[in-house]
Amino acid sequence: HHFTTDDSARVIIFLLSGVAAGMVAKQIRDGVSSSLKEAERRHKVENLFGQQISAEVAEKILESNGEIETRRMKVAVMFIDIRNFTNFAAESSPEEVVKYQNAFFGIVINAVTKHEGVVHQFLGDGCMITFGAPVSLDNPSERAVNTAYEILRQLERAGMEGTIKPTRIGIGIHTGEAVTGNIGTSVRQQYSVTGTVVITAARIEQLNKKYESVLLVSEDVVRNIDGHPAAKHLGEQQLKGLPGSLSVYKLV
């Protein structure tokens, strides 16, 4: 059998396809390996935070090797409360309540994620959100206020479209220094933000009932957003359980 041009072409094709197959196999191996590495990194962050943070924030934490040391950080804290939730829950089936909560918190999470905030606790009828920790942000107050407006816009739209029952909420925002870090044991850890700034934000939110308002913020917040055309000064407020008084502004 003479070795023809056809034969040599076959050999070359055979060799090339062998090389190609090898390259493809290597690419697949590399791809799988990097996917596994990525999954491992994600898993590490999920262990640290549960599902408290967005992918973007997780990415920033991974850049610092997931080191979450306890430290002081400048943060904006926001509390959101759903009005008349207790009555609604009492009159509805558990399935209806869960469906409503999913729709409501879906809106909140989308808005918070967009502005790089962290949702800390779902409290059934509301939640606590922070901006500026674990990753510091240039202007946490501005992010918090923009998020609040976005949540109100989306809630109104969802109400008009009928994807959520008409909902009234109260929002309170305060800015200050907080202590941040992971608390708990190696088995169950939670990232937490604590300090007077947190209690103050919660108390500001509660003032909404007194003023029949929707969005109240402290003077520190207003200062950080270069004043605000809609800001109406409500004067000095005594906040339950806190010494002294605080200047509060109504935005909505």
Side-chain angles (χ1 to χ4, degrees), residues 73-92:
M73 293 189 84
K74 174 89 168 155
V75 298
V77 179
M78 176 196 285
F79 274 87
I80 299 177
D81 180 67
I82 303 167
R83 295 288 175 253
N84 304 323
F85 181 79
T86 316
N87 295 349
F88 162 68
E91 294 158 6
S92 311

Side-chain angles (χ1 to χ4, degrees), residues 91-113:
E91 294 158 6
S92 311
S93 71
E95 291 78 12
E96 282 172 326
V97 174
V98 169
K99 187 178 174 221
Y100 171 79
Q101 285 177 315
N102 285 341
F104 177 80
F105 288 122
I107 288 170
V108 170
I109 290 165
N110 285 340
V112 171
T113 303

Side-chain angles (χ1 to χ4, degrees), residues 109-177:
I109 290 165
N110 285 340
V112 171
T113 303
K114 191 169 152 186
H115 295 95
E116 297 189 71
V118 177
V119 180
H120 285 269
Q121 302 156 283
F122 293 121
L123 308 161
D125 60 350
C127 56
M128 170 184 154
I129 297 151
T130 62
F131 299 83
V135 177
S136 58
L137 296 169
D138 50 351
N139 191 339
S141 304
E142 198 168 46
R143 303 234 188 193
V145 171
N146 289 342
T147 302
Y149 280 128
E150 179 134 357
I151 289 168
L152 292 170
R153 268 199 309 274
Q154 297 300 341
L155 265 182
E156 195 176 348
R157 182 189 294 172
M160 283 160 71
E161 288 169 359
T163 51
I164 194 169
K165 72 177 201 71
T167 298
R168 285 192 60 243
I169 62 171
I171 303 176
I173 305 170
H174 183 46
T175 296
E177 218 178 39

Side-chain angles (χ1 to χ4, degrees), residues 38 41-42 45 53-64 135:
E38 189 53 35
R41 291 169 81 222
R42 287 265 164 268
V45 164
I53 55 169
S54 70
E56 292 80 6
V57 177
E59 205 46 58
K60 286 187 180 170
I61 293 157
L62 286 169
E63 284 165 18
S64 66
V135 177

Side-chain angles (χ1 to χ4, degrees), residues 30-50:
D30 290 351
V32 167
S33 159
S34 78
S35 294
L36 282 172
K37 274 201 193 86
E38 189 53 35
E40 210 173 287
R41 291 169 81 222
R42 287 265 164 268
H43 186 61
K44 192 172 168 186
V45 164
E46 276 167 16
N47 277 347
L48 285 170
F49 290 94

Side-chain angles (χ1 to χ4, degrees), residues 10-21:
R10 262 194 219 102
V11 168
I12 289 166
I13 287 166
F14 183 71
L15 285 171
L16 283 175
S17 57
V19 170

